[in-house]
Amino acid sequence: MVPRGVWCVLLTCLFYTSSADKDFFTSIGQMTDLLYTEKDLVTSLKDYIRAEESKLEQVKTWAQKLDVLSATATQDPEGFLGHPVNAFKLMKRLNTEWGELESLVLKDMSDGFISNLTIQRQHFPNDDDQTGAAKALMRLQDTYRLDTQTISTGELPGEGPMTVEDCFELGKIAYSDADYYHTELWMEQALKQLDGGEESTVDMVTILDYLSYSIYQQGELERALDYTKRLLKLDSAHQRANGNLKYFEYQLAKQKKVEAEEGLKEKEEREREKREVSEKKGRPADYLPERRKYEQLCRGEGIKMTPRRQSRMFCRYSDNNRHPLYMLGPVKQEDEWDRPRIIRYHDILSNSEIEKVKELAKPRLRRATVHDPQTGKLTTAHYRVSKSAWLTAYEDPVVDKINQRIEDITGLNVKTAEELQKDEPDAFKELGTGNRIATWLIYMSDVPSGGATVFTDVGAAVWPKKGSAVFWYNLFASGEGDYSTRHAACPVLVGNKWVSNKWIHERGQEFRRRCTLDESD
């Protein structure tokens, strides 16, 4: 028997892609742990600094005392040493105290800090995590059309400014991935900040070297040549730049000669090609037309309903066909979209219920997977970095209570929900409960910016609101799939997003949602 109410809790945050063993940047929760780790290290570092300062203060005090004593003694050495006490103290200092001072100076005060750092280092993110965080930032930049200046100067809520080194590192990561578009953007920002007078350990020659080559790779010879000339003004002996200068000048002369010999038709064709290249600039090789629509919806540039359609959208109190539980306390229901019908239910979960669900889910959050069509196996993907955990009704009374609430509101049987997350792609077949007939999605956090659920076929976007739930049918009443319900989650720009999914299956709904051949029903 399938336990009633197995459902999935997901956490989505800022970042994408990951190392296989850590996934630090894919989870706000794990990165929060890193913040506390860093705080502990800072405390340890301060302790080390205080210990060094104390040691130096002892050495300084001893040196000052000896400085005064030596100045007095050397004024009349014989008279000074004629006093037996002074002679004794000189022997004592040279035989004992200087040895003690030597031991103090040689004492390593860093042992505690280094020991703590060594222990904590095993939990540090690695190169893959840093690369993943950088690519996440660049994906957010593309999706929400953010310029590098906005990001770098800390204009996003809760963000601090970026240094030249930060911008340069982003450009380098893009360059290592042959992503010359983002290399150009971030190297230009690093250069702009250097030109503005910011001090940096990264020299301008290195930035110009990356910048000129990335621009050349995108087919802009004249700009590449200009940056190369600027580089050579700073370092006339730069071997690669001198070679590039000759090559760029040769290619540019060759290009201009061809253009001069072109007829009107060839010029129009070349201009058309330039426009196409310009339009595609920044798009990855696997860019799909649907992604453009997806990104527009994520930015809030969705399809606007006509006034006539909008007039048929309502907010109402619903008792779910006079359900006894909701006769006196109906639920707040709001129409989010008409075709397909997407409904939002407000105030479905209380804050205490949300916190309990989070508490149960946090220890078991694991990276979500997708089906790889080439291997037929489930695997992680750079574009899906949510973390998921599966909860069953018997684990806690709160989970059972929420499941019962879903059944009461939707009128659907929740006993045929999916079992624990499967490792095989044929999970539905293994369950024997049919396809997903409906989706119930609970938002367990507000998101300051980003994080919408978008339906690309119809242009709908549903934005997170803590404590609310949205519901829609994935299948028509005929049992055929409603492809207009295909949806995707937008990346979170600021904050983190907690959601709970309840996927309700066909089996058990035979008398609750009767089959009909009329797909408009």
Side-chain angles (χ1 to χ4, degrees):
M1 176 180 176
V2 177
R4 184 181 64 146
V6 179
W7 46 299
C8 182
V9 180
L10 295 102
L11 167 63
T12 307
C13 66
L14 304 173
F15 297 132
Y16 307 83
T17 322
S18 169
S19 60
D21 57 339
K22 291 187 179 177
D23 290 342
F24 278 122
F25 59 90
T26 65
S27 167
I28 287 287
Q30 284 177 299
M31 286 191 290
T32 300
D33 293 341
L34 290 180
L35 282 178
Y36 286 108
T37 296
E38 189 170 52
K39 184 180 179 181
D40 178 62
L41 285 174
V42 170
T43 301
S44 181
L45 180 60
K46 287 181 177 179
D47 290 341
Y48 161 64
I49 292 170
R50 280 192 291 269
E52 287 285 10
E53 287 175 340
S54 175
K55 183 177 83 171
L56 288 173
E57 190 61 36
Q58 292 179 60
V59 174
K60 183 179 177 182
T61 301
W62 203 86
Q64 289 173 341
K65 183 182 71 173
L66 264 293
D67 185 42
V68 173
L69 183 62
S70 297
T72 303
T74 54
Q75 287 179 1
D76 181 11
E78 290 185 6
F80 181 82
L81 293 173
H83 196 296
V85 172
N86 289 341
F88 164 73
K89 291 178 72 173
L90 174 63
M91 296 302 106
K92 176 178 173 288
R93 283 198 304 273
L94 292 174
N95 183 53
T96 305
E97 294 180 12
W98 277 99
E100 292 173 351
L101 179 66
E102 180 183 20
S103 297
L104 176 62
V105 171
L106 292 175
K107 185 178 180 181
D108 190 351
M109 312 302 291
S110 67
D111 286 349
F113 170 68
I114 294 300
S115 176
N116 190 17
L117 181 61
T118 302
I119 293 170
Q120 300 288 8
R121 192 186 297 277
Q122 61 185 318
H123 305 298
F124 279 14
N126 57 27
D127 289 344
D128 288 339
D129 291 301
Q130 182 176 333
T131 299
K135 289 182 178 180
L137 189 53
M138 287 182 270
R139 185 188 171 198
L140 290 173
Q141 183 180 5
D142 294 343
T143 301
Y144 295 105
R145 288 186 175 174
L146 302 172
D147 59 71
T148 52
Q149 180 72 8
T150 298
I151 299 172
S152 182
T153 54
E155 292 180 28
L156 295 177
E159 178 203 6
M162 296 175 68
T163 64
V164 170
E165 286 85 358
D166 294 332
C167 298
F168 177 72
E169 188 62 33
L170 279 170
K172 265 178 59 179
I173 288 171
Y175 182 86
S176 65
D177 207 34
D179 178 2
Y180 300 113
Y181 170 71
H182 287 105
T183 303
E184 175 192 347
L185 292 181
W186 286 105
M187 289 300 174
E188 277 192 331
Q189 182 61 34
L191 183 63
K192 182 178 181 180
Q193 290 179 211
L194 271 184
D195 287 340
E198 183 179 325
E199 294 184 2
S200 172
T201 56
V202 182
D203 65 278
M204 191 175 289
V205 168
T206 304
I207 293 173
L208 287 167
D209 193 17
Y210 276 102
L211 188 53
S212 62
Y213 186 74
S214 64
I215 289 172
Y216 158 70
Q217 283 290 343
Q218 296 176 84
E220 298 183 59
L221 274 171
E222 289 190 34
R223 287 185 62 219
L225 182 60
D226 289 341
Y227 279 118
T228 303
K229 289 178 178 177
R230 183 176 173 182
L231 188 161
L232 288 169
K233 285 181 181 178
L234 299 172
D235 183 1
S236 59
H238 197 285
Q239 187 175 354
R240 183 167 51 252
N242 277 299
N244 287 345
L245 178 69
K246 294 177 183 177
Y247 180 74
F248 293 161
E249 287 177 335
Y250 168 75
Q251 289 293 334
L252 197 57
K254 185 179 176 181
Q255 180 179 301
K256 288 181 177 180
K257 183 179 178 182
V258 170
E259 290 174 4
E261 296 172 354
E262 283 179 346
L264 181 61
K265 186 176 180 180
E266 287 83 359
K267 285 182 179 179
E268 290 177 350
E269 179 66 21
R270 180 170 47 78
E271 289 299 322
R272 184 185 64 79
E273 289 176 356
K274 280 185 178 180
R275 285 194 299 272
E276 287 180 356
V277 170
S278 178
E279 289 172 1
K280 292 179 180 178
K281 188 175 181 180
R283 295 181 184 177
D286 59 353
Y287 189 90
L288 298 173
E290 191 177 26
R291 178 169 167 179
R292 182 180 179 183
K293 193 170 185 179
Y294 160 78
E295 291 177 347
Q296 287 176 331
L297 290 171
C298 289
R299 294 192 296 269
E301 302 169 5
I303 296 172
K304 304 301 179 185
M305 283 189 178
T306 61
R308 184 175 180 181
R309 284 178 67 186
Q310 189 67 45
S311 68
R312 294 197 289 266
M313 309 292 285
F314 296 99
C315 293
R316 64 185 71 81
Y317 286 102
S318 172
D319 60 12
N320 190 27
N321 295 322
R322 303 183 67 80
H323 189 287
L325 191 63
Y326 298 109
M327 288 288 288
L328 296 178
V331 292
K332 301 171 186 175
Q333 190 183 84
E334 178 185 0
D335 293 331
E336 286 280 354
W337 203 256
D338 55 353
R339 296 188 300 272
R341 192 179 184 207
I342 304 170
I343 301 171
R344 187 192 295 267
Y345 294 93
H346 293 273
D347 302 325
I348 292 300
L349 260 63
S350 66
N351 285 335
S352 61
E353 288 173 327
I354 287 172
E355 291 308 311
K356 171 54 72 173
V357 172
K358 286 183 180 180
E359 178 188 325
L360 294 169
K362 278 180 180 178
R364 60 182 85 174
L365 285 171
R366 297 293 181 270
R367 180 82 177 272
T369 56
V370 296
H371 177 248
D372 187 335
Q374 294 182 339
T375 64
K377 297 180 180 179
L378 292 175
T379 183
T380 57
H382 68 86
Y383 54 83
R384 190 181 187 192
V385 294
S386 59
K387 297 247 176 164
S388 61
W390 295 76
L391 305 179
T392 53
Y394 57 75
E395 292 185 60
D396 193 276
V398 168
V399 179
D400 191 37
K401 184 179 177 182
I402 294 171
N403 281 321
Q404 185 61 56
R405 192 175 305 157
I406 295 170
E407 183 167 317
D408 293 340
I409 292 173
T410 64
L412 297 175
N413 188 337
V414 299
K415 292 179 181 178
T416 54
E418 295 172 34
E419 258 288 8
L420 296 178
Q421 191 171 22
K422 300 290 182 175
D423 289 330
E424 66 277 351
D426 253 349
F428 291 176
K429 184 177 179 181
E430 293 292 321
L431 286 170
T433 55
N435 211 335
R436 291 172 177 170
I437 191 173
T439 297
W440 175 274
L441 178 63
I442 305 173
Y443 294 110
M444 300 196 299
S445 65
D446 290 316
V447 180
S449 186
T453 305
V454 298
F455 297 75
T456 54
D457 281 23
V458 296
V462 179
W463 300 89
K465 183 178 180 183
K466 187 177 181 180
S468 72
V470 290
F471 173 80
W472 65 87
Y473 281 104
N474 302 306
L475 303 180
F476 290 112
S478 64
E480 294 296 318
D482 183 356
Y483 292 101
S484 67
T485 62
R486 289 193 313 132
H487 58 282
C490 297
V492 175
L493 181 58
V494 178
N496 59 84
K497 175 183 170 186
W498 281 89
V499 297
S500 308
N501 275 334
K502 180 73 175 178
W503 289 298
I504 304 170
H505 282 246
E506 290 177 291
R507 299 295 178 266
Q509 320 306 335
E510 293 84 353
F511 298 103
R512 301 194 180 208
R513 192 198 191 208
R514 294 183 181 275
C515 179
T516 173
L517 296 179
D518 184 4
E519 291 188 353
S520 64
D521 187 0

